[in-house]
Amino acid sequence: MKNSRIAIIMSFLFLVDFCAAQSEVLQISNFGGTPNSDITQAFIKAWTLACASPTPTKIVIPAGTYMLTGIDVKGPCKAPIEIQVDGTIQAPSDINLVQKGSDQWVRFQYINSLTLSGQGVFDGQGADVWKQGRAAWKKGSSTSTKISMNLGFNFLNNTIIRDITSKDSKFFHIMVLACNNITFDGVTVTAPAMSPNTDGIHIGKSTDVKILNSNIGTGDDCVSLGDGSRKVTVQNVNCGPGHGISVGSLGKYTTEDHVAGLLVKNCTLKETDNGLRIKTWPSAPGTITITDMNFEDITMIDVLNPIIIDQEYCPYNQCSKENPSKIKISKVSFKNVHGTSKTPEGVIFICSSGVPCDEVELNNIDLTFNGAPTKAKCSNVRPIVIGKAPACQA
């Protein structure tokens, strides 16, 4: 009898603990958020309640189309929060109607254990901005300080973004800044090839970032690493259209931090303007290092400049190349890269004459241009060649 009582008590305590651990579900409709309406205030109310809750909470935005002028939600919160979005959330197409003073339309900051999930779409409605071309970003223009990114993840720890879609951002789609342990899994990023400055996922000053099993096609870099990026993995990602997977550009500012520890593995790049790229500015003051960059098991399909290190990066020729880049690049490997190039040079290494590249490895590179093997153009570097790879020419 005593053992039976103990078993009953233990079972009761387990059920109490189990129920306490279950997420409280907050439907956006309970806060006034309904399809075909602006849910800005409804989301803020739901977030405020979730953030104050001592138990895990899920905010649910079901199927339907919703409007959102912009949100900037912050922690710290008392327990993990999941936001499940299954609807389409639209930003104002007019940049003057997006939340004032924000360069990110939907922003999350200073939170531990955030999950953003669901089959939903964040639609930035950026077409009106793209029509203006480079003029929209010209310093001093009426629009340059108002153009917002779709999603900002800033100062977050232990974060998962799963299955959601970012569509037609006015500017970068996703910014990752000062985060630790953040994973993107099954994410879709989409914008037309002609949409300027619509980088897919840009990473800066963050550690342990994973981009997995995702499809990214934009008018700029699919993935880009800014300064301070460390321990980044990009795996099973399809990239294109866009400008490829890039490290940089770097070296423009003295405040930049070192970049180290990148693995790009089992990715396919299709009809991108560049493939795997590291880019730094010439005649610039930055003196950081870029090291331990690894690219392996990569498929190229009709890619311009499939493999490129460019330490004379100077878009639109609006800078001087008089002085070499001060950025030191070392320990870079390209392994098992195959497919087709749209340029005769499948490999271009333009390293700095001031600080030449060290320990750059080409291992089993099989790229063709119009059916013939591609060439390699190299300066200020002596690649380590293993297996098949084009011989360097000046």
Side-chain angles (χ1 to χ4, degrees):
M1 179 67 73
K2 183 177 180 180
N3 289 339
S4 297
R5 287 176 179 173
I6 292 173
I8 292 170
I9 291 170
M10 293 299 294
S11 298
F12 174 76
L13 291 173
F14 172 78
L15 287 172
V16 169
D17 288 342
F18 178 79
C19 292
Q22 297 304 293
S23 295
E24 180 182 3
V25 177
L26 303 178
Q27 297 286 344
I28 198 70
S29 59
N30 292 337
F31 300 86
T34 58
N36 303 310
S37 68
D38 188 326
I39 62 169
T40 303
Q41 294 305 315
F43 187 90
I44 291 171
K45 290 175 184 177
W47 177 266
T48 301
L49 185 61
C51 192
S53 173
T55 58
T57 304
K58 178 188 285 189
I59 299 171
V60 176
I61 302 175
T65 299
Y66 306 85
M67 278 62 78
L68 186 74
T69 57
I71 53 170
D72 183 357
V73 293
K74 299 178 182 179
C77 298
K78 292 184 177 180
I81 297 176
E82 179 176 358
I83 302 166
Q84 180 180 317
V85 178
D86 290 314
T88 295
I89 302 177
Q90 295 179 333
S93 58
D94 183 346
I95 61 173
N96 295 301
L97 299 180
V98 178
Q99 178 175 286
K100 292 183 179 179
S102 177
D103 60 353
Q104 294 163 351
W105 168 46
V106 176
R107 175 155 53 196
F108 301 96
Q109 300 193 85
Y110 306 104
I111 305 164
N112 292 325
S113 300
L114 172 71
T115 299
L116 177 60
S117 66
Q119 302 300 315
V121 178
F122 291 86
D123 184 354
Q125 299 205 100
D128 287 348
V129 173
W130 308 335
K131 291 175 184 176
Q132 300 177 52
R134 289 170 54 199
W137 283 269
K138 187 176 181 180
K139 189 175 182 180
S141 72
S142 61
T143 59
S144 62
T145 60
K146 299 179 181 179
I147 303 173
S148 57
M149 308 176 197
N150 265 9
L151 297 165
F153 301 100
N154 307 328
F155 306 97
L156 306 183
N157 295 313
N158 307 318
T159 304
I160 297 173
I161 296 92
R162 183 174 58 242
D163 297 334
I164 60 101
T165 294
S166 176
K167 177 185 177 186
D168 292 349
S169 181
K170 296 174 177 67
F171 195 15
F172 290 8
H173 279 261
I174 298 171
M175 168 66 82
V176 178
L177 177 66
C179 292
N180 183 60
N181 187 22
I182 180 169
T183 298
F184 296 84
D185 192 355
V187 168
T188 298
V189 180
T190 180
M194 48 63 63
S195 58
N197 294 327
T198 54
D199 292 52
I201 300 176
H202 180 76
I203 303 161
K205 300 187 185 303
S206 297
T207 300
D208 196 5
V209 180
K210 300 179 184 70
I211 303 170
L212 312 173
N213 312 311
S214 296
N215 296 297
I216 304 175
T218 71
D220 212 299
D221 295 330
C222 292
V223 178
S224 56
L225 272 64
D227 76 288
S229 299
R230 292 180 172 86
K231 197 178 176 184
V232 177
T233 298
V234 181
Q235 189 166 350
N236 299 330
V237 169
N238 295 316
C239 168
H243 295 178
I245 297 172
S246 295
V247 179
S249 58
L250 293 164
K252 200 169 186 179
Y253 306 103
T254 58
T255 54
E256 293 176 356
D257 199 0
H258 304 291
V259 175
L262 168 66
L263 173 63
V264 178
K265 183 177 176 64
N266 195 29
C267 294
T268 298
L269 294 91
K270 183 177 181 180
E271 297 179 356
T272 53
D273 285 358
N274 294 282
L276 311 171
R277 177 167 60 158
I278 301 173
K279 49 183 177 176
T280 73
W281 293 84
S283 298
T287 58
I288 63 169
T289 60
I290 300 172
T291 190
D292 192 19
M293 304 284 107
N294 302 285
F295 307 87
E296 58 184 69
D297 302 328
I298 308 296
T299 299
M300 303 282 185
I301 302 172
D302 294 338
V303 172
L304 288 165
N305 308 319
I307 296 173
I308 179 168
I309 297 175
D310 184 3
Q311 295 206 259
E312 294 182 354
Y313 177 72
C314 185
Y316 312 114
N317 292 316
Q318 293 183 347
C319 57
S320 169
K321 297 183 181 181
E322 183 177 352
N323 297 306
S325 172
K326 298 178 182 179
I327 305 298
K328 179 68 176 181
I329 297 175
S330 64
K331 297 182 180 178
V332 182
S333 68
F334 301 92
K335 181 179 180 181
N336 297 332
V337 181
H338 67 277
T340 54
S341 171
K342 278 192 173 182
T343 44
E345 292 84 15
V347 177
I348 300 174
F349 292 150
I350 305 171
C351 291
S352 171
S353 60
V355 278
C357 300
D358 282 335
E359 299 180 71
V360 176
E361 178 184 308
L362 292 172
N363 185 338
N364 190 23
I365 309 300
D366 186 8
L367 295 166
T368 61
F369 171 71
N370 290 339
T374 58
K375 302 174 183 177
K377 178 182 177 182
C378 309
S379 60
N380 304 307
V381 61
R382 294 182 178 179
I384 301 164
V385 176
I386 299 174
K388 181 178 182 179
C392 269
Q393 302 174 4

